């Protein structure tokens, strides 16, 4: 990552990430381990859009899916016992959530393009919720 990307990441981590992480923890009901590979989440030509797209692509769908899963005690227990880590990365530039999410050995991987289809939050939430319900 260059200076421009490092500046954006630092600003995002200081200004937006703490609230998103707090919402994620509240939705899950426990302190979810996050492994975010920040250096993979960039395409230089889209840097100006990330402030809006990061939450929509990486965090809001997780928060909403966790809320759906933890709507009852059975879901809360299943998530707490089954989810060890959330890994956020972009290694394959997926923009279709059916290809971008996996759940293996307690690790939920979000391998999604940081920009494409950002406004399709509900679609990502549905796919994540379904994936978790099938694997917890």
């Amino acid at each position: 990552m260059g200076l421009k990307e490092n500046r954006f990441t630092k600003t995002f981590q200081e200004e937006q990430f703490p609230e998103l992480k707090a919402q994620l923890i509240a939705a899950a009901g426990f302190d979810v381990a996050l492994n975010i590979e920040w250096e993979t989440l960039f395409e230089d030509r889209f840097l100006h859009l990330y402030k809006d797209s990061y939450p929509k692509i990486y965090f809001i769908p997780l928060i909403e899916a966790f809320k759906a899963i933890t709507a009852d005690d059975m879901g809360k227990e299943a998530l707490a016992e089954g989810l060890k880590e959330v890994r956020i990365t972009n290694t394959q530039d997926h923009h279709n959530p059916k290809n971008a999410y996996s759940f293996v050995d307690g690790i939920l991987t979000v391998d999604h393009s940081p920009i494409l289809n950002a406004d399709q939050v509900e679609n990502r939430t549905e796919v994540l919720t379904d994936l978790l319900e099938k694997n917890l």
Side-chain angles (χ1 to χ4, degrees), residues 10-120:
K10 184 177 189 300
T11 300
F12 183 84
Q13 289 171 336
E14 291 174 354
E15 294 178 4
Q16 288 181 274
F17 182 67
E19 177 60 27
L20 292 165
K21 184 174 181 185
Q23 289 178 34
L24 191 69
I25 291 168
F30 65 97
D31 192 357
V32 179
L34 293 175
N35 175 4
I36 303 173
E37 297 175 3
W38 296 102
E39 68 281 357
T40 68
L41 305 182
F42 287 101
E43 269 187 67
D44 187 46
R45 61 192 170 127
F46 295 120
L47 190 62
H48 63 288
L49 299 174
Y50 291 150
K51 183 176 181 178
D52 184 56
S53 68
Y54 272 16
K56 290 179 179 179
I57 290 175
Y58 298 115
F59 299 102
I60 295 171
L62 284 169
I63 293 164
E64 295 305 317
F66 288 172
K67 285 179 183 177
I69 295 296
T70 62
D72 59 26
D73 289 339
M74 185 182 295
K76 289 176 188 173
E77 185 177 312
L79 189 65
E81 290 178 5
L83 181 64
K84 296 179 180 121
E85 176 183 308
V86 174
R87 179 177 173 247
I88 297 175
T89 189
N90 179 34
T91 63
Q92 302 293 317
D93 210 28
H94 290 301
H95 58 276
N96 181 335
K98 291 182 180 178
N99 299 323
Y101 302 125
S102 64
F103 189 74
V104 178
D105 297 329
I107 299 174
L108 175 60
T109 301
V110 177
D111 190 350
H112 200 291
S113 163
I115 200 72
L116 295 175
N117 299 326
D119 290 329
Q120 294 180 1

